[in-house]
């Protein structure tokens, strides 16, 4: 997918202290590449036991850049400020979702054991840069230049296991016992650097880095009854 956008913005702002006009021209180009793969594999060991594997993965790569020019003027035409900005980025995302399901029936009708295992992985890497120049027209002309680069490396992983046992009680009544355990790990690493003539320095306000890990467990007991008019 290739997306080109040319945009022109003209806006008039009404304020008690006086009106002012804002004009902006921007050009943007984005290229997006997607690949997807799905897998389903099922095997029956016998009439009472089976194994099912499902998986899907997706790879996404995006590159893009944007350039914009803007200016703000008072209602009388007096120039207040001007801005020029150029940014570019390149990112790659990989997603993987898998599920393994085991079903086991026993000799007694209605007695079953089901277990499932899930693994989900989502990773995103991105590199980008920003250069913005602003001019302010007051008593004297002042300029403000921002030159930055950013690197992101984020990862999210989930492991989950679920076990369910069903015991028939007769007369279409069942007792179910289940247990679930899940572990989630989330890592965020976003580094932003200010580019200076003598090198680069870390921007503490925009840099964000942390790791979060959680463990969740749940056990349950269910009673189920099936009838012709209700369940």
């Amino acid at each position: 997918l290739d997306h080109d956008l040319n945009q022109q913005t003209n806006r008039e702002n009404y304020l008690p202290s006086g009106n002012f006009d804002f004009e902006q021209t921007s050009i943007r180009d984005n290229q997006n590449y997607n690949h997807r793969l799905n897998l389903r594999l099922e095997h029956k060991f016998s009439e009472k036991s089976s194994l099912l594997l499902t998986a899907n993965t997706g790879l996404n790569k995006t590159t893009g850049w944007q350039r914009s020019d803007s200016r703000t003027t008072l209602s009388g035409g007096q120039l207040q400020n001007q801005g020029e900005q150029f940014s570019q980025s390149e990112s790659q995302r990989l997603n993987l979702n898998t599920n393994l399901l085991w079903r086991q029936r026993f000799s007694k009708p209605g007695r079953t054991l089901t277990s499932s295992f899930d693994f989900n992985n989502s990773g995103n890497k991105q590199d980008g840069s920003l250069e913005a120049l602003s001019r302010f027209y007051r008593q004297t002309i002042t300029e403000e230049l921002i030159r930055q680069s950013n690197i992101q490396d984020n990862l999210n992983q989930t492991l989950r296991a679920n076990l369910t046992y069903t015991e028939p009680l007769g007369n279409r009544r069942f007792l179910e016992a289940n247990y679930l355990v899940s572990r989630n790990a989330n890592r965020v690493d976003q580094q932003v650097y200010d580019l200076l003539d003598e090198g680069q320095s870390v921007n503490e306000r925009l840099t964000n880095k942390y790791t979060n890990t959680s463990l969740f467990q749940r056990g349950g007991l269910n009673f189920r009854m099936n009838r012709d008019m209700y369940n």
Side-chain angles (χ1 to χ4, degrees):
L1 178 66
D2 192 357
H3 182 205
D4 297 316
L5 176 65
N6 297 328
Q7 183 171 327
Q8 179 74 35
T9 302
N10 295 277
R11 185 173 66 240
E12 186 173 1
N13 299 270
Y14 302 94
L15 295 176
S17 58
N19 304 337
F20 65 91
D21 298 321
F22 175 78
E23 300 176 6
Q24 184 183 53
T25 301
S26 62
I27 303 173
R28 183 172 64 188
D29 177 74
N30 289 326
Q31 293 183 345
N32 191 286
Y33 304 89
N34 286 289
H35 304 274
R36 295 186 182 93
L37 178 65
N38 299 307
L39 173 67
R40 177 184 173 90
L41 178 63
E42 185 174 6
H43 179 69
K44 290 186 177 181
F45 297 91
S46 65
E47 291 296 327
K48 296 182 179 180
S49 62
S50 65
L51 187 66
L52 174 64
L53 172 65
T54 57
N56 63 82
T57 181
L59 175 63
N60 171 268
K61 183 178 181 181
T62 302
T63 60
W65 60 269
Q66 179 174 348
R67 181 186 301 276
S68 65
D69 298 286
S70 63
R71 56 183 291 166
T72 302
T73 57
L74 297 179
S75 56
Q78 180 182 358
L79 185 61
Q80 288 292 99
N81 58 69
Q82 284 181 304
E84 303 172 7
Q85 181 173 306
F86 178 77
S87 62
Q88 59 182 354
S89 63
E90 180 176 342
S91 64
Q92 181 170 295
R93 178 184 296 271
L94 178 63
N95 296 322
L96 175 63
N97 302 298
T98 61
N99 174 261
L100 187 63
L101 178 63
W102 169 269
R103 296 188 182 98
Q104 178 67 52
R105 292 185 300 167
F106 297 94
S107 300
K108 186 177 181 179
R111 179 181 292 173
T112 61
L113 178 65
T114 303
S115 59
S116 64
F117 302 91
D118 296 273
F119 173 71
N120 302 318
N121 183 89
S122 177
N124 180 35
K125 294 184 178 181
Q126 177 175 314
D127 298 332
S129 63
L130 168 67
E131 184 169 339
L133 176 63
S134 301
R135 295 187 181 91
F136 302 94
Y137 297 88
R138 300 185 180 94
Q139 294 180 351
T140 59
I141 301 176
T142 59
E143 291 186 350
E144 180 179 308
L145 177 62
I146 298 177
R147 295 173 61 235
Q148 292 177 341
S149 67
N150 62 84
I151 302 173
Q152 296 186 38
D153 187 3
N154 303 332
L155 180 64
N156 184 274
Q157 287 185 342
T158 301
L159 285 169
R160 184 185 298 111
N162 191 13
L163 184 66
T164 302
Y165 174 78
T166 303
E167 177 66 25
L169 302 178
N171 196 19
R172 292 188 293 177
R173 294 176 301 173
F174 303 90
L175 190 64
E176 294 179 349
N178 56 76
Y179 172 71
L180 170 69
V181 57
S182 176
R183 181 184 184 274
N184 180 264
N186 185 27
R187 186 192 69 198
V188 173
D189 188 357
Q190 175 179 304
Q191 303 286 338
V192 179
Y193 301 93
D194 292 320
L195 305 180
L196 309 173
D197 294 336
E198 61 273 14
Q200 65 181 20
S201 64
V202 177
N203 189 312
E204 299 290 348
R205 293 178 299 174
L206 300 180
T207 295
N208 189 23
K209 185 175 182 179
Y210 68 87
T211 300
N212 180 37
T213 303
S214 61
L215 180 66
F216 175 78
Q217 299 184 71
R218 182 184 67 193
L221 196 63
N222 306 323
F223 174 75
R224 184 158 52 91
M225 182 168 57
N226 295 328
R227 291 297 182 264
D228 295 336
M229 301 298 296
Y230 61 89
N231 182 8

